[in-house]
């Protein structure tokens, strides 16, 4: 189905709703666009999960192809981001918080792996992991030593806008998403090496 066909169907739906009592409430709330956002994000997550598996298997050509497909998904007006950028950030943040939430008190291997990954990367992957650690330090209950470790680990990492908040040309977006997936691979490898 083409984008024009979807837009025509959406316009027709919205015109019908405008004739109903409270017909524009859904439109004003943004609720009508939510299913499109979920579909785009789901598609991006699916493609990037496959790309991550391809990277893990050493198949860079397949990973590049899948990342290209993910970054070609249309900009999401509802979420105001590209689905691939959003999905890559969510995947990285989820991997770190999942490891944190599975850890016992005094077990900071989740953080050691993150520090290892952070120090071995540059670019968007590094800045997205930095952001994840800063959010974890602010919003999660971490031990005092873990909080200090996060503070020390991120102090020299340049802060930049969230990947999901910037609009990049297709090639740069693909490189940025690849960078996030690469640091995710590094994080998982460091976590596995620590015995998790």
């Amino acid at each position: 189905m083409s984008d024009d066909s979807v837009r025509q169907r959406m316009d027709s739906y919205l015109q019908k709703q405008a004739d109903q009592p409270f017909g524009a409430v859904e439109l004003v709330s943004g609720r009508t666009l939510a299913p499109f956002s979920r579909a785009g994000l789901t598609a991006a997550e699916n493609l990037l999960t496959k790309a991550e598996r391809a990277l893990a298997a050493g198949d860079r050509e397949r990973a590049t192809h899948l990342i290209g497909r993910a970054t070609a998904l249309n900009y999401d007006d509802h979420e105001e981001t590209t689905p691939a950028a959003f999905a890559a950030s969510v995947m990285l943040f989820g991997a770190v918080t999942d490891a944190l939430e599975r850890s016992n008190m005094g077990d900071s291997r989740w953080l050691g792996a993150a520090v290892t990954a952070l120090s071995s990367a540059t670019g968007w992957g590094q800045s997205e992991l930095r952001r994840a650690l800063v959010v974890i330090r602010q919003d999660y209950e971490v031990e005092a030593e873990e909080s200090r470790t996060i503070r020390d680990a991120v102090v020299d990492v340049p802060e930049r806008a969230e990947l999901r908040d910037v609009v990049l040309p297709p090639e740069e977006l693909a490189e940025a998403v690849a960078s996030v997936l690469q640091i995710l691979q590094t994080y998982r490898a460091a976590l596995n090496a620590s015995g998790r």
Side-chain angles (χ1 to χ4, degrees), residues 2 4 22 24 32 35 38 41 45 56 58 67-68 75 82-83 87 90 96 111 124-125 127 158 170 172 184 190 192:
S2 73
D4 290 339
F22 304 108
T32 54
R38 281 192 299 276
L41 181 58
E45 285 176 346
I67 290 168
Y75 184 84
T82 56
V90 167
V96 178
L111 181 54
W124 282 104
S127 65
E172 286 182 40
L184 176 56
N192 288 338

Side-chain angles (χ1 to χ4, degrees), residues 41-143:
L41 181 58
T42 300
E45 285 176 346
N46 183 29
L47 290 164
L48 295 182
T49 298
K50 291 176 183 176
E52 183 190 4
R53 282 191 213 123
L55 281 173
D59 190 348
R60 289 205 171 279
E61 186 177 328
R62 178 165 167 70
T64 299
H65 172 73
L66 291 163
I67 290 168
R69 286 181 55 198
T71 57
L73 293 169
N74 289 334
Y75 184 84
D76 183 338
D77 291 320
H78 179 65
E79 292 292 336
E80 298 180 340
T81 189
T82 56
F86 190 29
S89 297
V90 167
M91 289 170 66
L92 179 60
F93 184 80
V96 178
T97 56
D98 286 350
L100 164 63
E101 291 169 359
R102 285 192 309 266
S103 66
N104 296 320
M105 288 293 283
D107 179 5
S108 295
R109 288 179 287 182
W110 69 271
L111 181 54
V115 171
T116 297
L118 191 67
S119 65
S120 68
T122 58
W124 282 104
Q126 186 186 49
S127 65
E128 288 297 299
L129 182 54
R130 178 196 191 282
R131 179 170 307 285
L133 290 174
V134 168
V135 168
I136 288 169
R137 184 173 183 235
Q138 292 171 352
D139 296 347
Y140 283 72
E141 285 187 37
V142 295
E143 297 176 34

Side-chain angles (χ1 to χ4, degrees), residues 102 109-110 113 184-196:
R102 285 192 309 266
R109 288 179 287 182
W110 69 271
L184 176 56
Q185 286 290 303
T186 304
Y187 177 72
R188 290 190 198 282
L191 198 57
N192 288 338
S194 73
R196 287 301 294 273

Side-chain angles (χ1 to χ4, degrees), residues 141-192:
E141 285 187 37
V142 295
E143 297 176 34
E145 182 61 31
E146 291 174 332
S147 180
R148 286 189 292 275
T149 300
I150 292 171
R151 181 196 64 213
D152 294 344
V154 303
V155 72
D156 292 328
V157 177
E159 186 175 354
R160 61 183 350 176
E162 282 185 75
L163 179 56
R164 65 170 287 177
D165 290 340
V166 297
V167 177
L168 298 172
E171 282 185 22
E172 286 182 40
L173 177 59
E175 289 173 13
V177 168
S179 175
V180 175
L181 292 185
Q182 188 58 57
I183 203 166
L184 176 56
Q185 286 290 303
T186 304
Y187 177 72
R188 290 190 198 282
L191 198 57
N192 288 338

